[in-house]
Amino acid sequence: MPSHYKLVTAKAPVNIAVIKYWGKANELLKLPINDSLSGTLGIDEMCATTSVAISDQFQDDELWLNGQKQSLTSHVQMLIGAIRNRSSIGDEYTKYKVHIASYNNFPTAAGLASSAAGYACLAFALGRTFGLQDPVELSKLARMGSGSACRSLFGGFVQWVRGTDHETSKAIQIVDHEHWPEIRVVIIVVNDRQKDVPSGEGMRRSVETSNLLKYRAESVVPNRISEMKKAILDKNFETFAQLTMQDSNQFHAICLDSEPPIFYLNETSRQIIKICSIINAHYDKKMVAYTFDAGPNACIYLLESYVPELLELIRKFFILTQGELEIKGIQYDNKTDIDEQLLCKLKNAGILQMPDAISYLISTKLGGGPVLVDTHLSDATLKPL
Ligand code: DP6
């Protein structure tokens, strides 16, 4: 063991926005053009794990992601630099190089907010290494890595206040995950071979070419944020679901309004939207709320009581040609019969079985923010161990 060595490991959650961040006012600092709001998902089902080591034996700052050495992007360098500058553990430590190993327990390729969990975890683990505790401060630092990451510093429902500079653009918690315990989340991982436009590039394109984006940021989001906060505080699922779906639709409308247009949704995503709309119309109230990020995967917010029927419906329409559809995460044993009239309506609307259109489901709920853990990533790169 060298004379100076410190190792910290943390886990951080994924968050899924119900009011989307899309468009930057400042590319370098990642200041957004509008506030956004998200739910933080349970860390047990999906998380990033990051170990950070500092040592007088390290030659360079180095990073490994899922075991692969990565070059340090300017944003990661900025994040590391900013944390060193704010260090409260003594000057000699800030001279030491850091080794970082990070790992996601869900496929990064699935486009499931992996950068949000990853950068939140990095900011949290680096922060703890250098003596920084305040989650609001850490949210500003995570934001420099990836904008949406700032919201993963808190559990429950979280608002990213857009602000006008580094100090004012930060995440704040609206309620913790125990406020509305009935909320559940089902993520439908859609099969898709097409490479999507990366979100940073897509945002730039929308900022440069879409008038609808300007209108959204100035005239729609401010009211929508207030309405959404009220719906969450009142636990009003009807309004929550309505706003969530409207906001997802508007985000994808902006993608189409960009030049050249960006298509994140595919045929399966559209089928999922149709199924959700028919379910809500059938019950004459909102049972499910879909939302889609920069990719075809669906995230469905719903109340616990409706999960069994939704899972049955997904199993019915999204069959696999080989084996059974896997549901990762929280299991529901109580199989339920699908309402016959609902099934008729879906069939009459032309919803057909789509073999192999989806790969698997993740069943989860809201959870807390990042945590320190005792089990360090046993990666050779964090030597000396
Ligand atoms: C569609 O946070 O990945 O998921 O700041 O460029 O790293 P950068 O973008 P990122 O954008 C996520 C956008 C979104 C909506 C959201 O999470 O609010």
Side-chain angles (χ1 to χ4, degrees):
M1 182 69 70
S3 50
H4 295 292
Y5 182 71
K6 187 171 179 183
L7 178 64
V8 166
T9 300
K11 283 186 182 205
V14 164
N15 72 76
I16 300 286
V18 289
I19 297 184
K20 305 292 186 195
Y21 148 51
W22 195 249
K24 296 183 186 74
N26 178 317
E27 288 270 346
L28 182 70
L29 294 174
K30 304 213 175 198
L31 305 179
I33 58 169
N34 58 264
D35 283 24
S36 54
L37 202 155
S38 57
T40 296
L41 307 188
I43 222 164
D44 293 340
E45 287 76 53
M46 290 164 89
C47 71
T49 305
T50 300
S51 290
V52 168
I54 50 173
S55 163
D56 53 1
Q57 310 245 310
F58 295 158
Q59 307 299 318
D60 288 304
D61 293 335
E62 292 185 63
L63 168 70
W64 289 261
L65 180 58
N66 295 326
Q68 304 285 314
K69 178 95 189 280
Q70 309 285 313
S71 52
L72 291 187
T73 63
S74 55
H75 284 103
V76 173
Q77 287 175 16
M78 194 159 78
L79 170 56
I80 297 172
I83 290 185
R84 276 203 182 101
N85 283 339
R86 290 163 175 76
S87 166
S88 62
I89 58 164
D91 277 354
E92 76 271 23
Y93 287 103
T94 60
K95 294 191 197 94
Y96 300 153
K97 299 296 179 191
V98 296
H99 277 194
I100 301 161
S102 192
Y103 165 83
N104 289 326
N105 73 348
F106 53 96
T108 17
L112 289 169
S114 53
S115 67
Y119 283 109
C121 207
L122 179 60
F124 186 83
L126 276 170
R128 290 301 161 105
T129 307
F130 288 98
L132 306 175
Q133 310 273 346
D134 180 3
V136 175
E137 288 307 313
L138 293 175
S139 81
K140 298 176 195 171
L141 299 169
R143 191 204 69 231
M144 291 178 171
S146 186
S148 57
C150 71
R151 297 184 309 236
S152 278
L153 263 300
F154 292 96
F157 282 106
V158 184
Q159 180 179 358
W160 175 8
V161 180
R162 73 183 167 120
T164 50
D165 57 18
H166 174 70
E167 288 309 320
T168 51
S169 189
K170 60 190 175 190
I172 51 172
Q173 187 179 53
I174 298 167
V175 291
D176 70 18
H177 64 285
E178 278 159 14
H179 165 76
W180 200 353
E182 297 83 11
I183 289 273
R184 291 291 176 277
V185 177
V186 172
I187 293 170
I188 307 176
V189 180
V190 169
N191 267 330
D192 189 46
R193 281 165 209 285
Q194 190 193 316
K195 181 95 188 75
D196 296 322
V197 178
S199 54
E201 189 186 322
M203 281 184 207
R204 255 190 308 279
R205 201 184 286 180
S206 299
V207 167
E208 281 163 16
T209 61
S210 170
N211 287 332
L212 187 53
L213 180 63
K214 213 166 143 16
Y215 168 73
R216 163 182 167 76
E218 286 168 8
S219 309
V220 178
V221 173
N223 284 340
R224 199 170 271 171
I225 289 271
S226 316
E227 285 169 5
M228 184 61 97
K229 277 161 81 170
K230 184 169 179 344
I232 291 168
L233 290 169
D234 296 347
K235 302 188 215 177
N236 177 344
F237 190 75
E238 188 71 23
T239 308
F240 171 84
Q242 176 73 28
L243 295 171
T244 297
M245 293 186 283
Q246 268 177 350
D247 201 74
S248 173
N249 293 342
Q250 187 173 63
F251 158 47
H252 291 280
I254 285 163
C255 291
L256 281 183
D257 189 45
S258 305
E259 174 63 45
I262 310 160
F263 305 95
Y264 286 127
L265 305 182
N266 68 11
E267 193 45 42
T268 310
S269 322
R270 284 189 284 276
Q271 201 79 332
I272 294 167
I273 293 176
K274 257 195 189 176
I275 293 174
C276 290
S277 306
I278 294 168
I279 294 172
N280 289 339
H282 173 70
Y283 288 106
D284 196 23
K285 69 176 191 184
K286 302 285 182 285
M287 308 301 282
V288 284
Y290 59 77
T291 182
F292 295 82
D293 282 339
N297 300 318
C299 173
I300 315 279
Y301 278 93
L302 71 169
L303 297 176
E304 188 179 16
S305 53
Y306 195 63
V307 178
E309 187 172 66
L310 178 72
L311 294 181
E312 280 307 310
L313 280 167
I314 297 172
R315 276 202 199 96
K316 176 133 199 108
F317 286 99
F318 296 100
I319 49 165
L320 297 188
T321 45
Q322 283 192 334
E324 248 204 71
L325 188 64
E326 187 191 357
I327 302 176
K328 299 177 196 272
I330 304 172
Q331 301 298 312
Y332 293 82
D333 293 334
N334 46 332
K335 289 210 170 172
T336 188
D337 290 330
I338 302 170
D339 184 301
E340 278 300 325
Q341 284 182 342
L342 170 59
L343 209 50
C344 263
K345 285 182 189 171
L346 287 163
K347 286 182 178 160
N348 291 342
I351 307 285
L352 301 171
Q353 281 192 325
M354 296 181 74
D356 300 321
I358 67 178
S359 340
Y360 59 90
L361 304 180
I362 304 173
S363 148
T364 183
K365 56 185 180 177
L366 297 188
V371 290
L372 285 180
V373 294
D374 295 332
T375 327
H376 304 293
L377 289 178
S378 57
D379 196 296
T381 58
L382 289 173
K383 278 184 172 175
L385 256 179

Short mmCIF file of all heavy atoms in Angstrom, two decimals, residues 15-22 24 27 30 36-38 113 115-116 119 143-149 151 160 199-201 203-204 251-252 264 292-295, ligand 1:
data_model
loop_
_atom_site.label_atom_id
_atom_site.label_comp_id
_atom_site.label_asym_id
_atom_site.label_seq_id
_atom_site.Cartn_x
_atom_site.Cartn_y
_atom_site.Cartn_z
N ASN A 15 -32.29 8.53 -14.26
CA ASN A 15 -33.53 9.31 -14.14
C ASN A 15 -34.20 9.39 -15.50
O ASN A 15 -33.52 9.38 -16.53
CB ASN A 15 -33.26 10.70 -13.55
CG ASN A 15 -32.57 11.63 -14.51
OD1 ASN A 15 -33.19 12.16 -15.45
ND2 ASN A 15 -31.27 11.85 -14.31
N ILE A 16 -35.52 9.45 -15.49
CA ILE A 16 -36.27 9.58 -16.76
C ILE A 16 -37.13 10.83 -16.68
O ILE A 16 -38.01 10.94 -15.80
CB ILE A 16 -37.16 8.33 -17.02
CG1 ILE A 16 -36.32 7.04 -17.11
CG2 ILE A 16 -38.01 8.54 -18.29
CD1 ILE A 16 -35.51 6.85 -18.38
N ALA A 17 -36.88 11.75 -17.59
CA ALA A 17 -37.57 13.04 -17.55
C ALA A 17 -39.04 12.91 -17.97
O ALA A 17 -39.37 12.18 -18.91
CB ALA A 17 -36.86 14.03 -18.47
N VAL A 18 -39.89 13.63 -17.25
CA VAL A 18 -41.30 13.74 -17.65
C VAL A 18 -41.52 15.12 -18.29
O VAL A 18 -42.49 15.34 -19.00
CB VAL A 18 -42.26 13.51 -16.46
CG1 VAL A 18 -42.26 12.03 -16.06
CG2 VAL A 18 -41.93 14.38 -15.26
N ILE A 19 -40.62 16.05 -18.03
CA ILE A 19 -40.53 17.29 -18.81
C ILE A 19 -39.09 17.36 -19.29
O ILE A 19 -38.15 17.39 -18.49
CB ILE A 19 -40.92 18.53 -17.98
CG1 ILE A 19 -42.38 18.36 -17.56
CG2 ILE A 19 -40.72 19.82 -18.79
CD1 ILE A 19 -42.97 19.52 -16.81
N LYS A 20 -38.93 17.33 -20.60
CA LYS A 20 -37.62 17.05 -21.18
C LYS A 20 -36.71 18.26 -21.25
O LYS A 20 -37.15 19.38 -21.47
CB LYS A 20 -37.78 16.51 -22.62
CG LYS A 20 -38.68 15.30 -22.77
CD LYS A 20 -38.10 14.06 -22.13
CE LYS A 20 -38.97 12.82 -22.42
NZ LYS A 20 -38.63 11.71 -21.55
N TYR A 21 -35.43 17.95 -21.11
CA TYR A 21 -34.34 18.89 -21.41
C TYR A 21 -33.99 18.69 -22.88
O TYR A 21 -33.67 17.57 -23.29
CB TYR A 21 -33.18 18.53 -20.49
CG TYR A 21 -31.76 18.76 -20.98
CD1 TYR A 21 -31.36 19.98 -21.52
CD2 TYR A 21 -30.81 17.73 -20.86
CE1 TYR A 21 -30.03 20.16 -21.93
CE2 TYR A 21 -29.49 17.92 -21.26
CZ TYR A 21 -29.12 19.12 -21.80
OH TYR A 21 -27.82 19.31 -22.20
N TRP A 22 -34.09 19.72 -23.67
CA TRP A 22 -33.69 19.59 -25.08
C TRP A 22 -33.24 20.96 -25.57
O TRP A 22 -34.05 21.84 -25.80
CB TRP A 22 -34.84 19.04 -25.94
CG TRP A 22 -34.36 18.56 -27.27
CD1 TRP A 22 -34.60 19.12 -28.50
CD2 TRP A 22 -33.56 17.38 -27.54
NE1 TRP A 22 -33.99 18.39 -29.50
CE2 TRP A 22 -33.34 17.30 -28.92
CE3 TRP A 22 -33.00 16.39 -26.72
CZ2 TRP A 22 -32.59 16.29 -29.52
CZ3 TRP A 22 -32.26 15.38 -27.31
CH2 TRP A 22 -32.07 15.34 -28.69
N LYS A 24 -29.39 23.57 -25.59
CA LYS A 24 -28.50 24.25 -24.65
C LYS A 24 -28.38 25.73 -24.99
O LYS A 24 -28.35 26.10 -26.17
CB LYS A 24 -27.09 23.64 -24.72
CG LYS A 24 -27.02 22.19 -24.29
CD LYS A 24 -25.59 21.70 -24.33
CE LYS A 24 -25.49 20.21 -24.06
NZ LYS A 24 -25.94 19.37 -25.18
N GLU A 27 -23.06 25.62 -24.53
CA GLU A 27 -22.59 24.25 -24.82
C GLU A 27 -21.50 23.81 -23.84
O GLU A 27 -21.47 22.67 -23.41
CB GLU A 27 -22.00 24.18 -26.24
CG GLU A 27 -23.04 24.26 -27.34
CD GLU A 27 -23.56 22.88 -27.73
OE1 GLU A 27 -22.95 21.86 -27.37
OE2 GLU A 27 -24.61 22.84 -28.40
N LYS A 30 -23.01 23.38 -20.40
CA LYS A 30 -24.25 22.61 -20.49
C LYS A 30 -25.37 23.30 -19.71
O LYS A 30 -25.98 22.71 -18.80
CB LYS A 30 -24.06 21.16 -20.06
CG LYS A 30 -22.94 20.48 -20.86
CD LYS A 30 -23.17 19.01 -21.11
CE LYS A 30 -22.08 18.46 -22.02
NZ LYS A 30 -22.31 17.24 -22.67
N SER A 36 -36.23 21.32 -16.57
CA SER A 36 -36.76 19.99 -16.85
C SER A 36 -37.07 19.30 -15.52
O SER A 36 -36.68 19.81 -14.45
CB SER A 36 -35.76 19.17 -17.68
OG SER A 36 -34.51 19.14 -17.05
N LEU A 37 -37.76 18.19 -15.60
CA LEU A 37 -38.22 17.52 -14.36
C LEU A 37 -38.24 16.01 -14.60
O LEU A 37 -38.70 15.57 -15.66
CB LEU A 37 -39.61 18.04 -14.05
CG LEU A 37 -40.13 17.95 -12.63
CD1 LEU A 37 -41.17 19.01 -12.37
CD2 LEU A 37 -40.69 16.58 -12.33
N SER A 38 -37.73 15.25 -13.65
CA SER A 38 -37.63 13.80 -13.87
C SER A 38 -37.94 13.01 -12.61
O SER A 38 -37.91 13.54 -11.49
CB SER A 38 -36.22 13.43 -14.33
OG SER A 38 -35.28 13.88 -13.38
N ALA A 113 -30.49 6.31 -20.64
CA ALA A 113 -30.00 7.33 -19.70
C ALA A 113 -28.72 6.90 -19.00
O ALA A 113 -28.50 7.21 -17.84
CB ALA A 113 -31.09 7.66 -18.68
N SER A 115 -25.72 7.83 -19.57
CA SER A 115 -24.79 8.93 -19.30
C SER A 115 -25.24 9.67 -18.04
O SER A 115 -24.40 10.14 -17.26
CB SER A 115 -24.68 9.88 -20.48
OG SER A 115 -25.88 10.56 -20.70
N ALA A 116 -26.54 9.75 -17.81
CA ALA A 116 -27.02 10.45 -16.61
C ALA A 116 -26.53 9.74 -15.35
O ALA A 116 -25.94 10.35 -14.45
CB ALA A 116 -28.54 10.53 -16.61
N TYR A 119 -22.44 9.94 -15.13
CA TYR A 119 -21.83 11.21 -14.71
C TYR A 119 -22.26 11.61 -13.29
O TYR A 119 -21.50 12.23 -12.56
CB TYR A 119 -22.16 12.34 -15.69
CG TYR A 119 -21.32 12.26 -16.95
CD1 TYR A 119 -21.88 11.90 -18.16
CD2 TYR A 119 -19.96 12.54 -16.91
CE1 TYR A 119 -21.11 11.81 -19.30
CE2 TYR A 119 -19.18 12.46 -18.05
CZ TYR A 119 -19.75 12.09 -19.25
OH TYR A 119 -18.99 12.01 -20.37
N ARG A 143 -23.62 18.10 -14.02
CA ARG A 143 -24.19 18.76 -15.21
C ARG A 143 -23.14 19.02 -16.28
O ARG A 143 -23.40 18.93 -17.47
CB ARG A 143 -24.83 20.09 -14.76
CG ARG A 143 -25.68 20.77 -15.80
CD ARG A 143 -25.75 22.28 -15.52
NE ARG A 143 -24.48 22.91 -15.74
CZ ARG A 143 -23.85 23.72 -14.87
NH1 ARG A 143 -24.38 24.02 -13.70
NH2 ARG A 143 -22.67 24.23 -15.17
N MET A 144 -21.91 19.35 -15.81
CA MET A 144 -20.83 19.61 -16.77
C MET A 144 -20.49 18.36 -17.59
O MET A 144 -19.98 18.46 -18.70
CB MET A 144 -19.57 20.03 -16.04
CG MET A 144 -19.65 21.36 -15.38
SD MET A 144 -18.07 21.55 -14.54
CE MET A 144 -18.18 23.23 -14.06
N GLY A 145 -20.73 17.18 -17.02
CA GLY A 145 -20.44 15.94 -17.75
C GLY A 145 -21.54 15.65 -18.75
O GLY A 145 -21.30 15.43 -19.93
N SER A 146 -22.76 15.65 -18.27
CA SER A 146 -23.92 15.44 -19.12
C SER A 146 -25.09 16.13 -18.43
O SER A 146 -25.33 15.89 -17.24
CB SER A 146 -24.19 13.93 -19.24
OG SER A 146 -25.22 13.70 -20.14
N GLY A 147 -25.78 16.98 -19.17
CA GLY A 147 -26.80 17.82 -18.54
C GLY A 147 -27.76 17.05 -17.65
O GLY A 147 -27.92 17.36 -16.46
N SER A 148 -28.38 16.00 -18.21
CA SER A 148 -29.43 15.30 -17.47
C SER A 148 -28.87 14.61 -16.21
O SER A 148 -29.64 14.25 -15.32
CB SER A 148 -30.12 14.27 -18.36
OG SER A 148 -29.17 13.38 -18.89
N ALA A 149 -27.55 14.43 -16.13
CA ALA A 149 -26.95 13.78 -14.96
C ALA A 149 -27.20 14.55 -13.67
O ALA A 149 -27.26 13.96 -12.59
CB ALA A 149 -25.45 13.61 -15.17
N ARG A 151 -29.78 15.69 -12.50
CA ARG A 151 -31.02 15.29 -11.81
C ARG A 151 -30.85 13.98 -11.06
O ARG A 151 -31.67 13.66 -10.19
CB ARG A 151 -32.17 15.19 -12.83
CG ARG A 151 -32.50 16.53 -13.52
CD ARG A 151 -33.71 16.38 -14.45
NE ARG A 151 -33.52 15.26 -15.32
CZ ARG A 151 -33.57 15.28 -16.67
NH1 ARG A 151 -33.83 16.42 -17.30
NH2 ARG A 151 -33.39 14.19 -17.37
N TRP A 160 -34.57 20.32 -12.61
CA TRP A 160 -33.32 20.98 -13.00
C TRP A 160 -33.69 22.42 -13.33
O TRP A 160 -34.38 22.67 -14.31
CB TRP A 160 -32.69 20.27 -14.18
CG TRP A 160 -31.45 20.91 -14.77
CD1 TRP A 160 -30.74 21.96 -14.28
CD2 TRP A 160 -30.79 20.52 -15.98
NE1 TRP A 160 -29.68 22.25 -15.10
CE2 TRP A 160 -29.68 21.38 -16.14
CE3 TRP A 160 -31.03 19.51 -16.93
CZ2 TRP A 160 -28.82 21.28 -17.24
CZ3 TRP A 160 -30.18 19.40 -18.01
CH2 TRP A 160 -29.08 20.28 -18.15
N SER A 199 -27.67 12.67 -28.58
CA SER A 199 -28.55 13.74 -28.09
C SER A 199 -27.90 15.13 -28.20
O SER A 199 -28.57 16.10 -28.57
CB SER A 199 -29.02 13.45 -26.67
OG SER A 199 -27.93 13.23 -25.83
N GLY A 200 -26.59 15.22 -27.94
CA GLY A 200 -25.93 16.53 -28.04
C GLY A 200 -26.04 17.12 -29.44
O GLY A 200 -26.37 18.31 -29.61
N GLU A 201 -25.81 16.26 -30.42
CA GLU A 201 -25.89 16.72 -31.81
C GLU A 201 -27.33 17.07 -32.19
O GLU A 201 -27.60 18.07 -32.84
CB GLU A 201 -25.36 15.60 -32.70
CG GLU A 201 -25.16 15.98 -34.14
CD GLU A 201 -24.76 14.74 -34.96
OE1 GLU A 201 -24.00 13.89 -34.46
OE2 GLU A 201 -25.25 14.64 -36.10
N MET A 203 -29.70 18.08 -30.19
CA MET A 203 -30.08 19.35 -29.55
C MET A 203 -29.57 20.53 -30.34
O MET A 203 -30.28 21.51 -30.54
CB MET A 203 -29.44 19.43 -28.16
CG MET A 203 -30.15 18.64 -27.13
SD MET A 203 -29.36 18.93 -25.53
CE MET A 203 -29.77 17.40 -24.75
N ARG A 204 -28.31 20.43 -30.76
CA ARG A 204 -27.71 21.54 -31.52
C ARG A 204 -28.53 21.81 -32.77
O ARG A 204 -28.85 22.94 -33.11
CB ARG A 204 -26.28 21.19 -31.93
CG ARG A 204 -25.24 21.92 -31.10
CD ARG A 204 -23.85 21.77 -31.64
NE ARG A 204 -23.42 20.41 -31.90
CZ ARG A 204 -22.97 19.57 -30.98
NH1 ARG A 204 -22.87 19.93 -29.72
NH2 ARG A 204 -22.59 18.35 -31.31
N PHE A 251 -41.58 16.98 -27.53
CA PHE A 251 -40.15 16.79 -27.77
C PHE A 251 -39.92 16.10 -29.12
O PHE A 251 -39.09 16.54 -29.93
CB PHE A 251 -39.54 16.01 -26.59
CG PHE A 251 -38.25 15.30 -26.88
CD1 PHE A 251 -37.21 15.93 -27.55
CD2 PHE A 251 -38.07 13.97 -26.48
CE1 PHE A 251 -36.02 15.26 -27.83
CE2 PHE A 251 -36.90 13.30 -26.75
CZ PHE A 251 -35.87 13.95 -27.44
N HIS A 252 -40.70 15.05 -29.40
CA HIS A 252 -40.50 14.35 -30.68
C HIS A 252 -41.02 15.16 -31.86
O HIS A 252 -40.50 15.03 -32.98
CB HIS A 252 -41.07 12.93 -30.60
CG HIS A 252 -40.26 12.08 -29.67
ND1 HIS A 252 -39.08 11.50 -30.03
CD2 HIS A 252 -40.41 11.83 -28.34
CE1 HIS A 252 -38.55 10.89 -28.98
NE2 HIS A 252 -39.34 11.07 -27.95
N TYR A 264 -36.43 9.61 -33.61
CA TYR A 264 -36.03 8.73 -32.51
C TYR A 264 -37.03 7.58 -32.33
O TYR A 264 -36.68 6.51 -31.88
CB TYR A 264 -35.89 9.50 -31.20
CG TYR A 264 -34.65 10.37 -31.17
CD1 TYR A 264 -34.73 11.73 -30.87
CD2 TYR A 264 -33.39 9.83 -31.43
CE1 TYR A 264 -33.60 12.52 -30.81
CE2 TYR A 264 -32.25 10.62 -31.39
CZ TYR A 264 -32.35 11.96 -31.08
OH TYR A 264 -31.22 12.74 -31.04
N PHE A 292 -40.67 9.00 -24.12
CA PHE A 292 -39.55 8.49 -24.92
C PHE A 292 -38.44 9.52 -24.93
O PHE A 292 -38.70 10.70 -25.18
CB PHE A 292 -39.99 8.24 -26.37
CG PHE A 292 -41.03 7.17 -26.54
CD1 PHE A 292 -42.38 7.45 -26.33
CD2 PHE A 292 -40.67 5.88 -26.90
CE1 PHE A 292 -43.35 6.47 -26.49
CE2 PHE A 292 -41.63 4.89 -27.05
CZ PHE A 292 -42.98 5.18 -26.84
N ASP A 293 -37.20 9.06 -24.70
CA ASP A 293 -36.05 9.96 -24.81
C ASP A 293 -35.48 9.89 -26.23
O ASP A 293 -36.23 9.63 -27.16
CB ASP A 293 -35.01 9.60 -23.74
CG ASP A 293 -35.40 10.14 -22.37
OD1 ASP A 293 -36.22 11.09 -22.33
OD2 ASP A 293 -34.92 9.62 -21.36
N ALA A 294 -34.18 10.10 -26.35
CA ALA A 294 -33.58 10.15 -27.68
C ALA A 294 -33.32 8.74 -28.22
O ALA A 294 -32.18 8.35 -28.49
CB ALA A 294 -32.29 10.96 -27.61
N GLY A 295 -34.38 7.97 -28.36
CA GLY A 295 -34.30 6.60 -28.84
C GLY A 295 -35.68 5.97 -28.81
O GLY A 295 -36.62 6.59 -28.30
C1 DP6 B 1 -33.79 13.37 -24.35
O1 DP6 B 1 -28.11 14.85 -20.84
O2 DP6 B 1 -27.69 13.12 -22.64
O3 DP6 B 1 -32.86 12.38 -22.41
O4 DP6 B 1 -26.14 17.38 -21.90
O5 DP6 B 1 -25.58 16.78 -24.24
O6 DP6 B 1 -25.00 15.20 -22.38
P1 DP6 B 1 -25.96 16.28 -22.89
O7 DP6 B 1 -27.35 15.57 -23.13
P2 DP6 B 1 -28.14 14.49 -22.27
O8 DP6 B 1 -29.60 14.73 -22.87
C2 DP6 B 1 -30.71 14.01 -22.48
C3 DP6 B 1 -31.91 14.45 -23.19
C4 DP6 B 1 -33.15 13.64 -23.00
C5 DP6 B 1 -34.17 14.40 -22.15
C6 DP6 B 1 -33.92 14.49 -20.67
O9 DP6 B 1 -33.34 13.57 -20.06
O10 DP6 B 1 -34.35 15.50 -20.09
#
